[in-house]
Amino acid sequence: MRGNDEGAMRRRDVLAAGAVAGSAALLGGAGLSGTAVAADGAGESAAEPVTVITPSDKRYPDVVRGWNQRWVASPEKVCLAETTAQVTRVVQQAVSAGKRLTVRGGGHCWEDFVFNPEVRVILDMTKMNRVYHDPEMNAIAVEAGAELLNVYERMYRTWGVVVPAGMCFQVGAGGHVSGGGWGLLCRPLGLVVDHLHGVEVVTVDADGVARAKVATRDPKGPHHDLWWAHTGGGGGNFGVITRFWFRSPGARGTDPAALLPQPPAEVLLSAISWPWQQMTKERFRRLVKNFGDWHAKHLGSGTPNDNLVSMLSLNHKSNGYIGLVTQADAAAPGAAKVLNDFLAAVTAGLGIEHQPLSVHMGELPAMPEFVKPRKMPWLQAARYLGTTNPTLNDPSLNGDFKSAYYRTAMPDPHIDRFYQQLTRDDAGNSTASVMLSSFGGKVNAVAPDATAAPHRKAAYKAAWMIWWTDRADEATCLKWIREFFHGVYAETGGVPVPNEVTDGCYVNYPDIDLSDPAYNKSNVPWYTLYYKDGYPRLQRVKAKYDPHDVFRHRQSVQLPKS
């Protein structure tokens, strides 16, 4: 890992020396129980001690792991902060002591970027979970540890507004937003970062002192580049995110109800499936091509099709079925026709009737009651899809994941590889699947360089996933997903390089294999797959705000080479 790179000792000495001047004020001369005042306007008092959990505490086994049970850490302590000032003190103490620190938001990182053998201090943000109107910023503030369903509940019940963030209810805002943030409202409303007005980040400056900085969308602001880096640059790269402020571009006035978009009052939900027993290779090819072709044709924004988002779950045949879940704005003009036309386009020429979605598949629950589209209030639909997720609610699972963006309908050689891997008799894991999900619409209306989320020309994305509970099954599961993913892109070096067909990978679905030359044999590095042409700018932000590489993991933004 990069924590062992040349110069680590020199970096530690510089940080420890530079922290001396700030330590007394930041640590209050009493470690984690002192008084602190965060810099750059955060300003609150933090006289209350930070909750610290050590190995002797019975809570320890629960706080040294996240959702993916593959990764379990053994830090000296886990610190649960509640204010920006407390975060600043925890960071400063770790820096002064030369301790490796990582940050847990919702705990949903798919790799070991938080929970790994080298971490000595974990800063747990789950107690920083408030959602409130901030009149000084004229925006809705969301603390980094807030879980997405709580964000939706608070925003919608209080002000009738929403941010178009993810589907899974337990995901924390910090990592999700900073990685760009896909969700079921992406086509009508864009990505969550398209509504990000500001972000507060605790960074470690060149003098080794931890300071909180507020960065905003204002291009004339002193930390605008830090704001930009958090619109798709990923978590764990530049500092500790403590809170976001959301206000849509062009929003007017001071009424909180007018600062962000409103979600649909009601949505139409459809859930259908097709049995693998009737899914020939030709039918499979037609289904996948139809799905991709619809999204490629409706990539641009400004039509009624913006109001529809869909997920096609291509499951291993041991699951028994392939499923399609679609959500549309029920109040939009011609909503039923938009949905019916989409379903007709996806099923055109398939030659078999669809059935109820009667078994869970990947991250989707069984939804047999939606074989005929049904209306639901938006918040109830968000709760339903987010909380009935069968894998999200199973705390015993280990998993591995991969991703790709597509700009066109999937080419036949790719589809044939999908079919081959999904029908293998020697890989009978019913959780194994690839989810194709909608992109485009309002996502496409934003320039690729306006934020650090560069995949604005993608029509849909693919997410590989497989889970297991027995450690003895890990090698078999990893073999399947690796052979599948890297085999699909064999002609481009084993990865979905940015070209006229594919468009790289999603940083919020991190995949360490992209850094391994045994799997990525292209001349396109992992950071180009995630960030495309934006990576050099991210490196410049890194050099400015984290010059000593305090915040790092196995795929963190690297300091520029001198």
Side-chain angles (χ1 to χ4, degrees):
M1 290 180 65
R2 295 180 61 239
N4 293 324
D5 60 2
E6 183 179 357
M9 293 302 294
R10 178 170 55 84
R11 178 174 60 237
R12 177 181 296 180
D13 292 343
V14 170
L15 293 175
V20 171
S23 293
L26 289 164
L27 298 177
L32 291 177
S33 62
T35 300
V37 177
D40 279 0
E44 76 269 32
S45 174
E48 290 298 318
V50 176
T51 300
V52 177
I53 297 175
T54 62
S56 62
D57 193 304
K58 65 181 181 182
R59 295 169 292 178
Y60 184 82
D62 283 309
V63 297
V64 296
R65 67 188 72 211
W67 168 74
N68 188 351
Q69 298 305 301
R70 284 181 73 190
W71 315 120
V72 180
S74 54
E76 296 171 5
K77 57 189 173 186
V78 178
C79 302
L80 288 86
E82 295 186 70
T83 68
T84 299
Q86 290 182 349
V87 169
T88 306
R89 283 190 291 128
V90 171
V91 172
Q92 187 66 69
Q93 187 184 58
V95 167
S96 299
K99 302 290 187 180
R100 175 72 182 276
L101 176 141
T102 58
V103 184
R104 175 201 171 122
H108 279 262
C109 182
W110 285 355
E111 291 287 2
D112 69 344
F113 297 167
V114 177
F115 304 102
N116 65 72
E118 292 190 6
V119 62
R120 303 272 50 88
V121 179
I122 294 176
L123 178 50
D124 189 311
M125 302 297 290
T126 54
K127 292 175 74 174
M128 289 191 69
N129 55 20
R130 294 187 305 151
V131 179
Y132 59 94
H133 174 236
D134 184 341
E136 291 187 8
M137 293 289 283
N138 193 30
I140 307 299
V142 175
E143 292 183 335
E147 295 180 351
L148 294 184
L149 183 59
N150 293 337
V151 174
Y152 302 147
E153 292 266 5
R154 175 67 169 162
M155 282 189 174
Y156 190 59
R157 293 189 187 279
T158 308
W159 306 290
V161 299
V162 73
V163 287
M167 178 176 72
C168 300
F169 78 101
Q170 287 177 332
V171 170
H176 176 74
V177 174
S178 59
W182 174 91
L184 290 177
L185 294 174
C186 70
R187 284 182 59 85
L189 300 180
L191 299 178
V192 65
V193 293
D194 298 338
H195 304 270
L196 181 64
H197 174 71
V199 58
E200 182 180 65
V201 190
V202 174
T203 64
V204 177
D205 294 338
D207 60 2
V209 176
R211 296 181 175 93
K213 297 177 175 67
V214 174
T216 72
R217 186 192 297 129
D218 182 358
K220 297 180 181 179
H223 305 299
H224 176 70
D225 52 351
L226 187 62
W227 169 86
W228 181 87
H230 285 87
T231 62
N237 281 318
F238 310 102
V240 182
I241 303 162
T242 52
R243 78 193 79 195
F244 301 101
W245 288 274
F246 290 99
R247 186 175 80 221
S248 298
R252 298 290 183 266
T254 59
D255 182 356
L259 299 178
L260 288 168
Q262 297 181 0
E266 292 183 312
V267 295
L268 278 169
L269 276 184
S270 165
I272 58 178
S273 69
W274 300 272
W276 261 111
Q277 288 182 341
Q278 300 179 41
M279 190 60 67
T280 65
K281 184 176 182 179
E282 181 54 39
R283 284 170 173 165
F284 181 85
R285 179 184 290 179
R286 183 173 291 275
L287 175 64
V288 175
K289 191 171 287 291
N290 284 349
F291 183 89
D293 188 55
W294 186 94
H295 285 85
K297 288 180 178 178
H298 300 96
L299 172 63
S301 63
T303 75
N305 294 300
D306 288 359
N307 296 307
L308 180 144
V309 174
S310 189
M311 298 174 287
L312 178 62
S313 188
L314 303 172
N315 310 292
H316 187 270
K317 70 175 184 179
S318 58
N319 177 276
Y321 294 86
I322 290 171
L324 179 73
V325 172
T326 309
Q327 175 179 291
D329 182 348
K337 184 178 187 304
V338 168
L339 176 58
N340 290 335
D341 287 350
F342 169 77
L343 295 176
V346 172
T347 59
L350 206 56
I352 53 174
E353 293 295 322
H354 62 257
Q355 300 181 10
L357 200 160
S358 56
V359 298
H360 85 259
M361 44 189 69
E363 294 185 331
L364 296 175
M367 302 170 60
E369 65 271 32
F370 293 95
V371 65
K372 292 184 178 180
R374 292 178 53 181
K375 288 184 179 181
M376 287 185 76
W378 169 77
L379 186 58
Q380 298 307 309
R383 176 182 287 279
Y384 174 78
L385 290 172
T387 62
T388 56
N389 182 323
T391 60
L392 198 68
N393 290 293
D394 187 341
S396 71
L397 295 177
N398 302 260
D400 197 63
F401 314 89
K402 299 181 181 296
S403 69
Y405 286 102
Y406 277 88
R407 300 182 63 177
T408 67
M410 196 176 292
D412 287 346
H414 290 197
I415 299 176
D416 291 346
R417 185 72 177 187
F418 270 62
Y419 183 84
Q420 175 190 358
Q421 292 294 327
L422 292 172
T423 58
R424 282 176 57 173
D425 291 324
D426 63 338
N429 187 326
S430 64
T431 73
S433 67
V434 185
M435 180 79 75
L436 306 185
S437 54
S438 298
F439 228 56
K442 288 293 177 61
V443 177
N444 178 254
V446 176
D449 61 351
T451 67
H455 306 284
R456 300 290 182 163
K457 303 302 180 184
Y460 57 101
K461 64 179 174 65
W464 280 253
M465 55 194 81
I466 188 168
W467 290 273
W468 62 94
T469 55
D470 189 339
R471 291 279 183 171
D473 294 331
E474 180 168 311
T476 300
C477 292
L478 293 179
K479 183 175 184 291
W480 176 84
I481 198 170
R482 285 168 169 163
E483 289 181 354
F484 189 166
F485 179 81
H486 299 293
V488 169
Y489 306 110
E491 292 187 0
T492 53
V495 294
V497 301
N499 58 28
E500 66 278 2
V501 175
T502 53
D503 201 33
C505 304
Y506 183 29
V507 70
N508 272 1
Y509 301 165
D511 174 13
I512 201 62
D513 288 346
L514 299 176
S515 307
D516 190 336
Y519 302 109
N520 182 356
K521 300 177 181 179
S522 73
N523 60 357
V524 179
W526 62 268
Y527 48 79
T528 300
L529 295 171
Y530 289 146
Y531 304 121
K532 300 178 70 174
D533 294 338
Y535 187 64
R537 184 175 177 183
L538 291 171
Q539 287 186 289
R540 293 192 294 273
V541 176
K542 177 76 168 180
K544 182 177 178 180
Y545 291 98
D546 187 21
H548 299 294
D549 203 22
V550 172
F551 303 99
R552 63 192 187 276
H553 52 73
R554 289 200 287 169
Q555 281 184 338
S556 55
V557 172
Q558 299 171 345
L559 289 167
K561 294 180 180 179
S562 56

